[in-house]
Amino acid sequence: MTNFIAKASFAALLAIASIPASVSTAAAAGPERGVVIDVQYHRPPPVYRGCSPVMAVRAARWSGLRDVRVVNVTPRRVVVAGRDRRGWDRMTFANVRGCPLIRR
């Protein structure tokens, strides 16, 4: 019985003595010594279900029209007007994703 009490008290003494040692090492690994990873989350670009007037104007300018204005927007089409080298012209785009050209 005496041997059991001696071993138990020695184990308790070791356990109590090791607490301050583990606390100091845990405090040493603060944020100034650890690796900090800066993560930036970006929102995905908006998903256009149809052809927005801005996208239609960009497509018309890309095709060579100048001074492009939105003339009409319906659920099926987006009409823009502008000038090209021959004078006034209109372009009609389908009001679906990607703005495909219907008529020029």
Side-chain angles (χ1 to χ4, degrees), residues 7-23:
K7 287 182 182 181
S9 63
F10 183 72
L13 179 66
L14 284 177
I16 291 173
S18 66
I19 290 175
S22 64
V23 171

Side-chain angles (χ1 to χ4, degrees), residues 11 24 34 65 77 95:
S24 64
L65 286 183
R77 59 192 174 118
N95 197 357

Side-chain angles (χ1 to χ4, degrees), residues 5-6 11-12 20-21 33 52-54 63 65 67 69 71 77 82 90 92 96 98-100:
I5 294 173
R33 292 189 184 195
S52 70
V54 175
S63 297
L65 286 183
D67 301 327
R69 296 184 182 99
V71 177
R77 59 192 174 118
R90 283 185 175 212
T92 305
V96 295
C99 291

Side-chain angles (χ1 to χ4, degrees), residues 15-95:
I16 291 173
S18 66
I19 290 175
S22 64
V23 171
S24 64
T25 57
E32 64 274 1
R33 292 189 184 195
V35 178
V36 177
I37 300 173
D38 188 20
V39 179
Q40 296 179 354
Y41 293 100
H42 299 284
R43 289 185 297 174
V47 177
Y48 296 108
R49 304 239 182 249
C51 179
S52 70
V54 175
M55 291 174 64
V57 167
R58 285 183 189 164
R61 284 183 182 159
W62 180 257
S63 297
L65 286 183
R66 294 172 306 210
D67 301 327
V68 182
R69 296 184 182 99
V70 177
V71 177
N72 191 10
V73 178
T74 65
R76 290 185 176 227
R77 59 192 174 118
V78 179
V79 181
V80 294
R83 295 182 60 95
D84 63 354
R85 56 194 162 115
R86 292 174 286 173
W88 288 98
D89 196 11
R90 283 185 175 212
M91 293 182 79
T92 305
F93 297 96
N95 197 357

